[in-house]
Amino acid sequence: AWEPLIHGSCLALGLVAMGSGDVLVKDQNGHDQSLVDLLMGVVDTDDAVTGESAALALGMACLNGGLEYSNIIGRMLAVVSQTKHEKIIRALALGVAMIMYGQEEEAEGVINSLCAEKDSLLRYGGMYTIGLAYAGTANNEAIRRLLRVAVSDVNDDVRRAAVTNLGFVLLNSPERLPELVELLSESYNPHVRYGSAMALGIGCSGMDSATDALKILDALREDKVDFVRQGAMLSTAILLMQKNPQHDDKAKAFRAKLQETFEDSKHSSTMTRMGAILAMGLVDACGRNANIQLVTRSGIVRPQAVAGMALWLQYWYWYPMMHMISLAFSPTALVGLNSDLNIPTGFRVECDAPLAQFDYPEPTTEKKASKQVRVKTAVLSMTAKQQARDKAKGKDDGSMEVDEESSDKKEGNGKNISDEELEKKREEMLSNPLRVTREQMSKIVYMEDQRYQPIANDEQHKSGVVILLD
């Protein structure tokens, strides 16, 4: 079969069966076959491209399975000694990390085995195993282990992975992260600095205002190494998603910087411009109707979202992995449902802050080149006499007719909005269903003088699906 087709099919199987374990699937003849056996068969062909995708799919399918799938882990690690393809080895190590997601101490045996390997690709997987096994736990021993590898390992990829995974471990304690990685962000090693940027983007993605993290990222965006600037742009975009540039100076300055970097093909490297383009997509992802949410409002870490973020980071080796970040997106909306699971349009909410603060940013407009107006120059008397003689002889004076246009005359884009239009827009923004950003959640107030009332009226139920009592 065509290699790219197998590659895509394996990733698709992993995505649709994520966390389902070793399920049965139909083969070409319509017979039941184990999903793990099917994917391991692709890995055993020892093809670098298809083997990589099958190994990642194994990790996705058995996500959070732990030692229950110890035999599958054994089969995956046995292939490592038989193949010479770096893509397959790295993908198998990352697949093992996803299987050990959330296992904490139970994963120590696998972690110790991977971290003790001479092969840097397996140690790289060991860092991700620590990060995913202890995701959101803020475990001190896991943090110490990652920090020790970040400053002592001889391989740059392993050091970068160690710093990056600090973001996963501290998902539920993001306020600790900027202080922890501040010194690492000033390291002489650019891979460590890049890891610091990504750790801040991952760990602080759930904060309403990550001021300290943005301060460090501001410095990293001016780094002398292009891939560090790229990582800083991506992480800043994650932290500034849904921020309105009209009301947030940081978001306004960042968007202007992205536009400047993207347009500056002379002085910006290809990698930096790529980071700017991807960051422009991230900061406006899902039409500005979603956000990256690795932890639920009640503090529970989302396995699929964390796995998606870990896979997204593999764009370093394979750009199409960028699409995996969509697993971490969560829509920011409030949808009220009645007992019949219908959406009553009569249900409304109020907002304790100006709605313009949470409105969509103005769309980017194309810059139009302003027409140059030629200023009428003074004509000397001798020149005028010579021009008159030339005209009498039928000679062209070489002058060019220019349509004079006043540079002050510009069409005003802004229109005065009437009070009725403002009230209509407010009504649309606060009627069921409605868009509610993360910052806006604390400002939402349920009105008591209406037919439908939410069953749960607390801070955790100001977004998402809310069941209404008639």
Side-chain angles (χ1 to χ4, degrees), residues 209-267:
S209 180
T211 308
D212 294 337
L214 287 170
K215 186 177 178 182
I216 297 173
L217 290 171
D218 285 345
L220 290 172
R221 284 206 310 275
E222 303 299 328
D223 198 275
K224 60 184 180 181
V225 180
D226 53 3
F227 66 77
V228 178
R229 295 196 296 271
Q230 183 190 81
M233 285 180 181
L234 294 175
S235 289
T236 307
I238 289 173
L239 300 185
L240 292 178
M241 289 176 75
Q242 292 191 324
K243 302 283 187 184
N244 193 320
Q246 274 75 36
H247 296 270
D248 191 305
D249 293 337
K250 283 273 187 187
K252 185 176 182 179
F254 178 62
R255 285 174 180 268
K257 179 66 176 175
L258 291 181
Q259 191 71 28
E260 178 190 336
T261 306
F262 165 64
E263 292 173 352
D264 186 12
S265 57
K266 272 188 178 178
H267 304 96

Side-chain angles (χ1 to χ4, degrees), residues 15-74:
L15 286 167
V16 298
M18 184 172 275
S20 300
D22 189 9
V23 295
L24 293 176
V25 294
K26 298 288 184 182
D27 62 12
Q28 293 178 342
N29 300 318
H31 300 133
D32 288 335
Q33 184 180 4
S34 162
L35 176 62
V36 169
D37 289 341
L38 178 65
L39 294 172
M40 281 303 301
V42 178
V43 174
D44 290 336
T45 60
D46 204 32
D47 179 85
V49 176
T50 57
E52 178 189 34
S53 61
L56 292 173
L58 280 166
M60 286 188 273
C62 301
L63 179 68
N64 198 20
L67 296 179
E68 180 185 344
Y69 298 123
S70 56
N71 61 324
I72 298 174
I73 294 174

Side-chain angles (χ1 to χ4, degrees), residues 4 24 34 70 99 130 144-145 172 180 189 220 235 277 292-293 325 352 398 416 418 421 460:
L24 293 176
S34 162
S70 56
I99 295 174
I130 296 173
R144 275 196 294 269
R145 198 166 193 171
N172 271 325
L180 193 65
N189 190 319
L220 290 172
S235 289
I277 295 167
I292 292 214
Q293 189 174 2
I325 198 171
D352 276 350
N416 293 327
S418 65
E421 289 174 328
Q460 292 186 9

